[in-house]
Amino acid sequence: MDNRRSFLKKSGLIIAASTFSFPHLLFAQNKKKLGVALVGLGYYSRDLLAPALQLTEHCELRGIVTGSPEKIPAWQEKYGIADKNVYNYQNMHEISENDDIDVVYVVVPNALHKKYTIIAAEAGKHVWCEKPMAPTVKDCEEMIAACEKNKVQLTIGYRMQHEPVTRKIISMAGSKPFGPIQKLKAEAGFYNSGGDGTHWKLHKELAGGAMFDMGVYPLNAVRYATQMEPFSVTARIENSRPELLKVDETTYFDLEFPGGIIANCKTSFAENINHLKVDCQSGWYELKPFQSYSGVGGRTSDGQILSPFKGNQQARQMDDDALAIKQRKAPLVPGKEGLKDIRVVEAIFESSHKGSKRILL
């Protein structure tokens, strides 16, 4: 009860941004473990990130930021979070004064990523932001600028790029075991019944819809599988349930890469799909599923089996990102990587709105 009273009291504070003061950044690499604060305590934080932080070697859960005071007692009891490390969205800027927190992980609806990334950066904290980075290129650029200005790292939560089987697929772009890549197919989606009308995924103003939620998986996959950037996109959107879904339900998008490589991609809220296939000059390789919390696996045309990684994907991702901070090295998936995807996403929507016009990137 005291924690909730304290939360409500803090919620009433209104402090002008001009009055913020930030202590000198600690040398994070001298800390055994970096302290992480989760911003947003929904499903992904509750069921995946918080448990994964119990498995990490280089970082640990020390703080939370939430707009739901009723969640606080359970989180404090389960994870031993100190009262001084509990914040709400109105007083989150005060995290600048808290040396327990080194990293803020932004896990709120997509349309709010920019707001809380900038608050964290201006508080002098490194930022891990869930994918997709933000709804627009402009938002992404402002997030990058804020982090650069405040000399903190900005990392996007594309966990698959840290996952060992996916790392092998990425390496094949260079080793070319079956010759040059010729074409790719990537699909990701699930059946969204639309039953929970309050969920952010069903609201366009919160950057919901299949493309933002699931479409960045195949988009990012064909980029990392080729280690190239597309130069054009052609797309179309279909919606079989317009009375139920006010966001894009199914999006098809074809990307052209240098060397005549074509990627045929699809994302959907209408069916369960999860497949990446890379066709090469003298063979092929695939992951099915290519993104899954329980592990990804696949095979190659010469009979090799790509067995799923048995570890925790989120723990691996966060340890990699924590090490980058501690060692003062560039993160594996920096903000500029997230920006590249959103630049293509904007072109996908433009193409679909213009009758599948080919858009040069």
Side-chain angles (χ1 to χ4, degrees):
M1 182 64 71
D2 289 341
N3 289 335
R4 274 173 274 189
R5 284 200 206 98
S6 175
F7 178 95
L8 294 173
K9 181 179 178 182
K10 290 177 182 178
S11 296
L13 295 177
I14 301 176
I15 301 178
S18 61
T19 67
F20 293 0
S21 61
F22 309 120
H24 183 71
L25 289 177
L26 296 176
F27 289 101
Q29 68 270 31
N30 294 330
K31 290 189 172 185
K32 186 176 180 181
K33 284 192 173 186
L34 302 185
V36 177
L38 296 175
V39 181
L41 304 183
Y43 161 74
Y44 197 68
S45 286
R46 182 190 67 239
D47 291 3
L48 294 162
L49 293 178
L53 281 163
Q54 311 313 301
L55 306 174
T56 47
E57 180 182 352
H58 300 287
C59 54
E60 62 187 5
L61 176 60
R62 291 197 195 134
I64 54 175
V65 181
T66 179
S68 303
E70 69 278 4
K71 295 180 180 180
I72 295 172
W75 276 76
Q76 287 192 297
E77 181 179 356
K78 187 170 185 177
Y79 297 111
I81 297 171
D83 287 349
K84 67 187 182 70
N85 294 345
V86 176
Y87 297 87
N88 57 64
Y89 296 122
Q90 288 71 43
N91 68 8
M92 178 181 158
H93 59 272
E94 294 178 5
I95 209 166
S96 65
E97 302 167 4
N98 191 335
D99 291 343
D100 282 354
I101 308 301
D102 303 288
V103 181
V104 167
Y105 199 144
V106 177
V107 203
V108 293
N110 300 335
L112 301 175
H113 286 181
K114 181 182 80 168
K115 178 179 180 179
Y116 294 107
T117 290
I118 291 176
I119 290 173
E122 290 181 345
K125 305 301 179 181
H126 299 288
V127 183
W128 297 343
C129 178
E130 253 315 296
K131 63 84 193 161
M133 185 173 174
T136 69
V137 167
K138 183 176 182 293
D139 286 345
C140 295
E141 290 173 341
E142 290 176 7
M143 293 162 69
I144 292 169
C147 290
E148 289 179 346
K149 178 182 177 181
N150 290 282
K151 297 180 172 55
V152 296
Q153 282 197 10
L154 172 59
T155 306
I156 310 304
Y158 281 107
R159 74 185 193 284
M160 301 318 305
Q161 291 204 36
H162 300 261
E163 190 274 332
V165 179
T166 306
R167 297 298 305 166
K168 182 174 180 63
I169 294 296
I170 292 171
S171 73
M172 288 179 172
S175 62
K176 296 180 174 60
F178 302 104
I181 294 173
Q182 295 183 333
K183 64 179 180 178
L184 305 92
K185 179 180 181 181
E187 301 178 328
F190 67 97
Y191 184 78
N192 189 325
S193 67
D196 182 5
T198 65
H199 200 286
W200 65 265
K201 291 184 181 183
L202 301 179
H203 292 269
K204 189 174 183 179
E205 66 274 16
L206 293 176
M211 188 64 225
F212 277 122
D213 183 41
M214 299 299 293
V216 289
Y217 280 114
L219 170 56
N220 201 248
V222 295
R223 289 183 51 245
Y224 63 61
T226 59
Q227 289 294 287
M228 295 180 183
E229 298 303 326
F231 61 82
S232 80
V233 60
T234 304
R236 77 180 190 276
I237 293 175
E238 296 179 355
N239 193 339
S240 65
R241 298 172 290 167
E243 73 290 346
L244 186 64
L245 299 181
K246 306 304 179 184
V247 292
D248 56 295
E249 181 186 44
T250 300
T251 300
Y252 300 86
F253 54 102
D254 298 330
L255 303 171
E256 293 180 87
F257 288 86
I261 299 171
I262 300 294
N264 304 121
C265 304
K266 178 182 178 182
T267 186
S268 183
F269 274 175
E271 59 183 310
N272 297 315
I273 45 177
N274 197 336
H275 186 207
L276 168 65
K277 186 177 183 185
V278 183
D279 287 308
C280 307
Q281 189 176 62
S282 58
W284 51 264
Y285 44 96
E286 67 178 353
L287 295 179
K288 192 173 186 179
F290 81 95
Q291 57 84 26
S292 170
Y293 297 145
S294 59
V296 304
R299 57 187 181 135
T300 67
S301 57
D302 62 358
Q304 182 181 358
I305 300 300
L306 305 175
S307 299
F309 169 58
K310 299 299 185 182
N312 184 287
Q313 295 172 5
Q314 286 81 5
R316 175 108 176 199
Q317 167 201 329
M318 291 186 285
D319 263 343
D320 284 350
D321 293 339
L323 268 176
I325 293 170
K326 292 170 73 173
Q327 297 174 355
R328 293 188 170 185
K329 294 181 179 179
L332 185 61
V333 190
K336 291 180 180 178
E337 170 74 359
L339 167 63
K340 289 176 181 178
D341 271 352
I342 299 306
R343 184 169 284 120
V344 179
V345 170
E346 285 194 343
I348 288 170
F349 285 126
E350 180 183 357
S351 173
S352 64
H353 294 155
K354 292 182 176 179
S356 298
K357 178 180 178 181
R358 180 171 177 264
I359 303 296
L360 294 178
L361 297 166

